[in-house]
Each structure stands twice: as structure tokens, then as C-alpha cells.
Amino acid sequence: MIDPKTIAEQIKFLLSGTNFANLGTRYEGKVRDNYTNGDRRILITTDRLSAFDRIIALVPFKGEILNGMTKFWFEQTKDICPNYVESYPDPSVIIGKECEPLKVEMVIRAYITGTTTTSAWYNYSNGSRNICGNELPDGLVKNQKLPEVILTPTTKGDHGDHDKNMTPEEIVERGLITQEEWDKLADYTRKLFARGQELADKNGVILVDTKYEFGKDANGEIMLIDEIHTPDSSRYWIKDTYEERMAAGEEPENINKEFLRIWLAEEQGYRGEGVVPEVPEEMLVKTAEKYMQAFELITGQPFVAEVGDTHARIEKNLTPYYL
Ligand SMILES: Nc1ncnc2c1ncn2[C@@H]1O[C@H](COP(=O)(O)OP(=O)(O)OP(=O)(O)O)[C@@H](O)[C@H]1O
Ligand SMILES: [Mg+2]
């Protein structure tokens, strides 16, 4: 892993965003800058970290790490489900098919946890024993493994909207997707997650829960879009320390953005309202280390950082795609 000094030095090259005039129509998501041109979509993963639906900080090397993990997982799962990717022209960039996103987010969970209002633990601890149509037994404790893996789909809220939990029946009744599409998505989701759990486990990591997005390409084929099994879309815990921490009543050791979220909530009292507290350099470096640790553990490969001007590198690598 890279030393903290090198990480700190990269702070001057943090990628806050891009504004390329000649790549297509630009749309800025929370984390990625998107450019579309006909049936092509270019996704540039920036260093933005979002939590509580807000941009909290810029984290050194986060763009490369996230994109690298997505690449790893797309390659590990393409036998299960087709994905939209055509090429990886830069460590932070994916070029792929422009799809029509299906209006549900396929959330799948193996453990009962979470802090937000859509999380399984939030609902369970407030007395609910049915989450998105899944019956849960009494007596579960936070962070415990569920008797079986559950699907807890949400609406894909329009930009800025919060997602809402739904049952498969509601999804189909509302006409968000058809029953046939639901069946296909549910099947893909379970198989993708099973592959993720299996591979993570081999590398000493627990894939706790995740979220997939699917879309239809120009031919109407359903495929996986967006990102997959990144620390932004998934929760990962360290396997080795899970049992002892549970026994001691402690939170599992996580390698995802929960780390900064807990620091914000518990040490800064920030839960999404008002001015975002400034994240000190030391925390940025620690957060970068978490993301790198996640990359290395999960992929089983060393993270090779490209120190230097990220923006200039991307601009150069995308030259062949200028309109
Ligand atoms: N192949 C694809 N075709 C169409 N849209 C896609 C594709 N892959 C990803 N997307 C969309 O591109 C955006 C990626 O940017 P990002 O993840 O930063 O956005 P976000 O802030 O999470 O989401 P939102 O746009 O809903 O606010 C998401 O809106 C995602 O749904
Ligand atoms: Mg997203």
C-alpha cells in the first residue's frame, strides 16, 4: 500500500470534477461525471465522496480505486449477467452503452444493519418485522447474519429524491417494471451477490449488502449498469474480527465509506443537515487508506496509484473520444 506521505501529496491533484466541452452532453452525478453521445456513455469517477446525500469531501485516489473495483467485479461477473462496459480507457473512466435505466434499485442484504431510514436495521429496530415483503423473526440483533439473504428493492428516486422501500408486488403494480423483468432482475441480483460473497469470503472479507442498477440497451437487452460491489455501493466487513467484535458488542470493522460517515455523525454531530464540517487532511489520508485496503483485500491485487495530475491524464486518455 502507498505510504501516507504520498497520499497527502496527491491532495493537490484531487479530482473535484471535469467539464470537457467535446465529449457529449454532460450530467453531474454525486460521484461521477457522465457524458452521453447517442448510444455511448462515458463515466468519469471523480474523487468526490458522498454521504447523507451530500458531497462530503474529496479523497485522494478514490476515483481510480472505485473504478478499478468496478472493473474487477464486472470482469468477475460477466458470465452471470451482461454489463454495459465497452472499454476502460483510463483508470478512472468507463466507456459503455447508454441504457435506459430500470426504475428500481436492486438492494440485497445478508446481514441486518444500517443507519439510514431505508436500512433494514432502522426499520427492524422500530418494530417492523416485514421489510419489502420479507418476514423477519423476532430477536435479531444489529449486524447479525440474516436467516437468509433478502431482496429489499427501492425506487430509483429522481435526482435529489430519497429512495423508498417497496415490495416486488408494489413495483409491478405501479408499472415501474413488468413481472417478467422483476423475475429476471431478482435472479441476476441473487446470482451476482452470491458470486460477490463467495469471492470476498476467499479474500477474508464479508460482502454485507449491496445495490445493483440495471438498464436496457438500444436492443432492449437487460444489462448491469453503473458500478458494482464498490465500497460506495456496498458494505464490506473484515471477516477475521467479525465474531469477536459482535461478542464484545462492537461494530464490525468496515472497509467502506461508513468509516467517514461514523466520524461525521459521532465526532462532528453531522447527519446531513447544515454546513458540512471540514474534513482534516489526516482524515482524508485515513479514508484513502480504507479505500485502498478494500481494493487490495477484495481484488487480491496491489493498488497501483498513478501519482500526479489526474485531470490531465484523463483528458489525454480521452482524446480519441472527442467529438
Ligand atoms: N449505462 C448507463 N446508461 C444510463 N445511465 C447510466 C449507465 N450507467 C450508469 N448510469 C447512471 O449514471 C449516473 C452515475 O453517476 P453517479 O453515480 O455519480 O450518480 P448518482 O448521484 O449516484 O445518481 P443520481 O444520478 O441518481 O443522482 C447514475 O445516475 C446512474 O444511474
Ligand atoms: Mg450512483
Side-chain angles (χ1 to χ4, degrees):
M1 200 148 83
I2 317 170
D3 60 291
K5 195 165 152 275
T6 310
I7 299 175
E9 276 166 12
Q10 185 67 10
I11 288 177
K12 60 177 174 294
F13 293 119
L14 285 169
L15 187 68
S16 60
T18 63
N19 201 347
F20 298 119
N22 37 14
L23 277 185
T25 308
R26 179 173 171 276
Y27 163 71
E28 186 177 309
K30 285 188 287 289
V31 174
R32 278 153 311 155
D33 287 354
N34 299 251
Y35 296 85
T36 49
N37 168 34
D39 53 13
R40 264 311 85 74
R41 190 178 189 102
I42 301 178
L43 275 101
I44 302 175
T45 309
T46 69
D47 292 328
R48 300 192 288 263
L49 182 141
S50 84
F52 308 105
D53 278 335
R54 304 276 294 273
I55 306 301
I56 300 296
L58 298 172
V59 177
F61 301 114
K62 177 172 178 280
E64 285 97 314
I65 296 170
L66 242 76
N67 204 59
M69 287 183 73
T70 281
K71 178 180 180 185
F72 171 82
W73 282 112
F74 272 142
E75 284 170 354
Q76 295 294 327
T77 56
K78 62 186 177 204
D79 60 316
I80 298 175
C81 172
N83 61 62
Y84 77 106
V85 177
E86 291 171 346
S87 64
Y88 303 92
D90 176 275
S92 302
V93 182
I94 286 179
I95 298 189
K97 288 182 187 158
E98 170 72 8
C99 293
E100 187 197 325
L102 295 173
K103 289 191 184 329
V104 310
E105 305 218 340
M106 295 299 287
V107 182
I108 183 164
R109 309 168 187 274
Y111 291 76
I112 186 155
T113 185
T115 42
T116 63
T117 52
T118 50
S119 75
W121 176 249
Y122 178 89
N123 287 287
Y124 188 87
S125 61
N126 282 306
S128 169
R129 291 292 173 270
N130 187 307
I131 171 160
C132 304
N134 304 283
E135 292 290 340
L136 297 179
D138 283 332
L140 295 178
V141 298
K142 189 176 183 211
N143 303 326
Q144 178 181 345
K145 191 167 189 176
L146 288 160
E148 56 187 10
V149 169
I150 58 171
L151 289 171
T152 60
T154 67
T155 47
K156 184 165 162 43
D158 283 329
H159 307 314
D161 275 8
H162 290 286
D163 304 333
K164 246 181 50 219
N165 282 336
M166 291 215 283
T167 65
E169 289 73 23
E170 282 166 343
I171 288 170
V172 174
E173 264 164 35
R174 285 214 206 167
L176 297 179
I177 56 174
T178 65
Q179 181 67 48
E180 206 186 338
E181 286 167 343
W182 167 263
D183 292 342
K184 186 152 197 174
L185 261 47
D187 184 51
Y188 276 154
T189 298
R190 288 187 181 281
K191 287 177 178 155
L192 289 166
F193 190 62
R195 174 71 55 84
Q197 285 184 297
E198 183 196 326
L199 240 149
D201 183 75
K202 268 192 206 144
N203 293 335
V205 178
I206 300 173
L207 178 59
V208 178
D209 50 39
T210 195
K211 176 210 78 175
Y212 305 107
E213 289 185 31
F214 295 88
K216 276 186 191 168
D217 73 359
N219 299 321
E221 190 187 355
I222 291 182
M223 55 189 62
L224 193 54
I225 62 170
D226 209 50
E227 61 185 329
I228 166 171
H229 298 167
T230 68
D232 277 11
S233 69
S234 319
R235 205 175 254 116
Y236 283 111
W237 293 336
I238 302 287
K239 187 172 139 185
D240 260 8
T241 55
Y242 172 76
E243 292 295 345
E244 62 189 71
R245 284 188 172 229
M246 278 297 276
E250 291 166 3
E251 283 290 311
E253 191 178 345
N254 67 72
I255 41 169
N256 46 262
K257 67 179 182 178
E258 197 85 344
F259 170 70
L260 201 60
R261 205 146 51 186
I262 291 170
W263 178 81
L264 283 164
E266 284 170 19
E267 287 184 37
Q268 305 292 309
Y270 181 78
R271 288 183 175 77
E273 305 299 324
V275 184
V276 181
E278 180 154 355
V279 183
E281 181 175 310
E282 182 200 334
M283 280 302 291
L284 293 181
V285 172
K286 273 196 188 147
T287 307
E289 284 177 328
K290 281 270 174 190
Y291 274 88
M292 278 176 208
Q293 188 192 4
F295 179 96
E296 298 198 336
L297 271 177
I298 293 155
T299 67
Q301 297 160 10
F303 172 68
V304 184
E306 292 201 31
V307 181
D309 189 339
T310 313
H311 189 278
R313 185 197 72 214
I314 293 174
E315 191 167 23
K316 182 165 157 281
N317 286 333
L318 286 178
T319 316
Y321 302 93
Y322 294 153
L323 300 174

